[in-house]
Amino acid sequence: MKRLQYKFIIPSTLAFLALVFACNKSFLDKPALGALSQATLANKTGLDGLLIGAYSMLDGQGGAAGLSWGSAESNWVFGSVDADDSYKGSTPSDQGDIVPLETWALSTSGNSYVNQKWQALYDGIQRANEVIRVMRLATGVSTADTVQYKAECLFLRALYHFEGIRMWGPKIPYVDENITPLNNNVNVPNDKDITASVEADFQYAIDNLPSDYKNISPVPKGRANKWAAKAFLAKCICSSISTPMPEQCLQTSLTTEPLLTVINMRWDCMKPTLMQPPRTDQKAYLYARCP
Amino acid sequence: MQNIAWLNDLKIRGGWGKLGSISNTIATNQYYLYSTTAANAAYDINGTSNSSALGIYESQFGNPVGTWEKDVISNVGFDATILKNKLDISIDWYTKSINDLLFQAALPSTAGGAAAPYVNAGDIKNTGIDAAITYHGSVNKDFKFDITGTITSYDNKVVSLPAGIQYYDINSSGSTRIGAFSRLAPGHAVGAFYGYDETGLWQSQAEIDAANQKAQQATGNPNAVYQDAAAPGRMKFRDVNGDGHITSDDRTFFGNPNPKFTYGLNIGASYMGFDFSMFFYGSEGNDVINYVRYWIDFPQVFDAAIGKEAATNSWTPTNTGAKVPILERAANFSNTTTFNSYYKESGSFLKCKSLIIGYTIPSASLRKIVSTGSGFMYRELTCLWSPNTQDWIRNCRVQHLAQAEASVLTRVNYPSNQKNYNIGLSLSF
């Protein structure tokens, strides 16, 4: 009996236990090794990187088909080329999809530039949202940092949405941080005017961003600050007026705070050269640019 | 059955199998991943103009619930040898349906720019027949020959796609210039060509005016035109939906890269010490897109050199029967900016893939040199003849797209089927 116990029962029991405890279902659940996942990014370094990633869509390079020169905020195609500021260049058939835009003769859908722009903008919006989503899981981030991250993200999100409004009008999908494939709600309808939501995002940025970053070295000149947010809110208000003629725009928006402060601040910058107070006529509209 | 004289051998077979496959997907499909690619994520946040800060972006959505795709293959067939072992026949009918096919989901742009995961959705079905017939013949003791003919036909169809997705546009070489060549949609073959259907060239301004007048009547718009940028010598597209003018709704499926059937003929013969074999191979009923034409028929395309057909036989007011449109500098909807059936060509071909002539040196004469052994001298020629004149058939310049298997001819593919002439000696001891 004793021999049997040593030779058979004990080893087989051990083997049985090893099998039962070694191979539960989570044994097969392995994280992706050597790759960045949400878990590895849920900290300050990860959030900083994701935020830079959201800024980087300003150059339009990214998304499913975004190209830096085709879908950037600088709008070479939709601004410079369409306004006769520059020519498409090259031989006639090179990037032929610019031709109907350049000649204002877009008659068929499926123009690659329009698609690229759309994809790049929503990629930018979702990159900004992703910072907020990961931030909610992050550890070691102070409350002040949280507010700063959120304010920059909402600024970028509003900026990309506003760019979309300028391209396609105010009825485009408004995508906030709750829209994800995981929540299965990415088919966002485009049935309502989203201007109010965009203005609310800009307003959050105005309320929570600092006026400048001079206390940081080197100074992050490219980071959104309160004035950038105010200028864009002013621009957004201007463009939401049904007939955006400079005079009417000015009459309406001069009664709103953002544009006035931007004009005044712009004046502060220019005072040494202009030597006269800002005029409250239509030319002041031209000052409503980001300082 | 013993006394059926004409039947030497008969086997009837059938099979059904189910095979799991994940070859269509990527190893990291279940994970949400992030990337730091500089071009897509870096930003000069400090405004230095000479450096940038590293950024991170979500590069891939994961599908944690993805599973195998299932290939269900059924086949029925028979092998028979009849007429005193002279004729071998083998016929096989098969159907292969791929269920829960791993397709990359098409997420709307509102999801963001990360790559969509592969999801189990979509069905594709192939049905076809394989047949081979061999005849073993002999004229006399010294002269024997074998002839084998094979034929394979298949019908390929997309049965369904993931819920909510009507089609996928499949990009290929050339799509950055004139858009996707192929569309994957239920009811059509995988790789089917999709675009405007070019029906010829506009021959005169009167013809265009008449079409515009009809368009104006149909749409009620006094400024309507039948087709954007129509002019004599430019392409004329077919009004597929019959609404009087050409819009993006007039794109249609106009070609199928899948052949109706492919076939082969193998001839072997031997006479005394000489032997001979020859192999023909052909494909019937498939279409190809000759993207090379985009470069050689249109001088407005990067000022590339034009081909002989464009140089000598393009459309002019006096040469109205030409296939190549008028030579001009403008690029527009009616010449080079859209994908259309102008680039379609028949892909049917027949070619002689190889020819071998050999002579076996009799063992007896070799034994004077070495004790035992045999020798075989041969001469082999490959890719030596075809009734087709197209350069691409002779040189096999066809690119197969990864997902669509559509056939697109491109200027970049190096000819893969060179003519070979080999002379050799094979010795064994």
Side-chain angles (χ1 to χ4, degrees), chain B residues 94-160:
Chain B
Y94 67 90
T95 171
K96 176 181 176 186
S97 54
I98 310 171
N99 305 325
D100 291 339
L101 188 65
L102 282 161
F103 255 126
Q104 200 166 15
L107 289 169
S109 300
T110 44
Y118 289 80
V119 294
N120 291 99
D123 283 334
I124 283 179
K125 197 171 178 181
N126 287 297
T127 48
I129 290 174
D130 281 339
I133 297 174
T134 303
Y135 182 74
H136 306 281
S138 57
V139 177
N140 54 42
K141 195 164 74 63
D142 291 328
F143 185 35
K144 291 182 176 142
F145 65 92
D146 290 331
I147 297 173
T148 303
T150 58
I151 186 163
T152 298
S153 95
Y154 70 94
D155 180 41
N156 164 293
K157 255 192 184 66
V158 180
V159 179
S160 67

Side-chain angles (χ1 to χ4, degrees), chain B residues 6-40:
Chain B
W6 54 271
L7 187 67
N8 304 104
D9 189 24
L10 177 69
K11 182 167 84 176
I12 296 171
R13 56 195 155 75
W16 184 89
K18 193 169 182 176
L19 185 73
S21 167
I22 53 165
S23 60
N24 218 4
T25 183
I26 49 173
T28 56
N29 193 41
Q30 64 267 49
Y31 303 114
Y32 285 79
L33 294 179
Y34 295 78
S35 171
T36 58
T37 310
N40 287 355

Side-chain angles (χ1 to χ4, degrees), chain B residues 165-294:
Chain B
I165 292 168
Q166 266 123 45
Y167 60 83
Y168 288 101
D169 279 338
I170 308 295
N171 287 325
S172 59
S173 175
S175 293
T176 53
R177 305 266 170 228
I178 50 177
F181 292 4
S182 172
R183 177 168 280 193
L184 196 68
H188 297 278
V190 176
F193 301 128
Y194 183 83
Y196 296 96
D197 189 13
E198 189 244 2
T199 55
L201 304 176
W202 295 103
Q203 297 298 348
S204 65
Q205 190 57 45
E207 189 187 359
I208 297 166
D209 291 343
N212 287 346
Q213 207 160 34
K214 274 188 194 158
Q216 285 152 14
Q217 281 164 7
T219 58
N221 175 0
N223 299 319
V225 291
Y226 176 77
Q227 177 183 325
D228 190 27
R234 289 181 185 165
M235 298 175 192
K236 179 163 70 176
F237 299 138
R238 185 161 66 91
D239 181 16
V240 174
N241 64 359
D243 65 352
H245 59 134
I246 300 295
T247 63
S248 50
D249 295 335
D250 288 309
R251 286 175 297 172
T252 184
F253 289 92
F254 61 69
N256 187 345
N258 302 291
K260 289 193 175 64
F261 59 90
T262 56
Y263 55 98
L265 183 68
N266 214 331
I267 300 168
S270 63
Y271 177 71
M272 311 273 287
F274 292 95
D275 56 82
F276 166 88
S277 81
M278 202 171 183
F279 177 52
F280 291 91
Y281 174 69
S283 171
E284 189 60 42
N286 55 314
D287 297 316
V288 292
I289 292 303
N290 190 349
Y291 177 58
V292 180
R293 297 191 76 98
Y294 175 73

Side-chain angles (χ1 to χ4, degrees), chain B residues 381-418:
Chain B
L381 306 128
T382 49
C383 230
L384 73 163
W385 174 84
S386 169
N388 303 71
T389 50
Q390 295 100 312
D391 159 76
W392 66 266
I393 286 171
R394 290 164 167 264
N395 294 317
C396 294
R397 273 196 264 235
V398 178
Q399 178 205 21
H400 288 283
L401 308 187
Q403 193 173 12
E405 287 291 314
S407 312
V408 176
L409 308 174
T410 71
R411 69 207 160 108
V412 290
N413 287 6
Y414 190 79
S416 62
N417 242 7
Q418 296 88 350

Side-chain angles (χ1 to χ4, degrees), chain A residues 30 36 38 41 49-50 53 55-56 58 61 91-94 109 118-119 122-123 126-127 130 182 186 220-222, chain B residues 31-32 34 39-43 45-46 53 55-58 109-111 113 177 248 294 300 302-303 329 331 336:
Chain A
K30 295 283 180 209
L36 291 171
Q38 212 165 45
L41 295 175
L50 285 169
Y55 273 104
S56 94
L58 290 170
Q61 179 79 40
T91 53
S93 204
D94 183 12
S109 66
W118 178 272
Q119 287 166 352
Y122 280 98
D123 190 19
Q126 282 289 24
R127 286 190 189 191
E130 186 67 11
L182 212 57
V186 292
K221 293 176 198 161
Chain B
Y31 303 114
Y32 285 79
Y34 295 78
N40 287 355
Y43 187 68
I45 197 77
N46 293 329
I56 304 169
Y57 67 103
E58 192 168 19
S109 300
T110 44
R177 305 266 170 228
S248 50
Y294 175 73
Q300 60 267 56
F302 290 94
D303 293 336
R329 292 291 301 163
T336 58

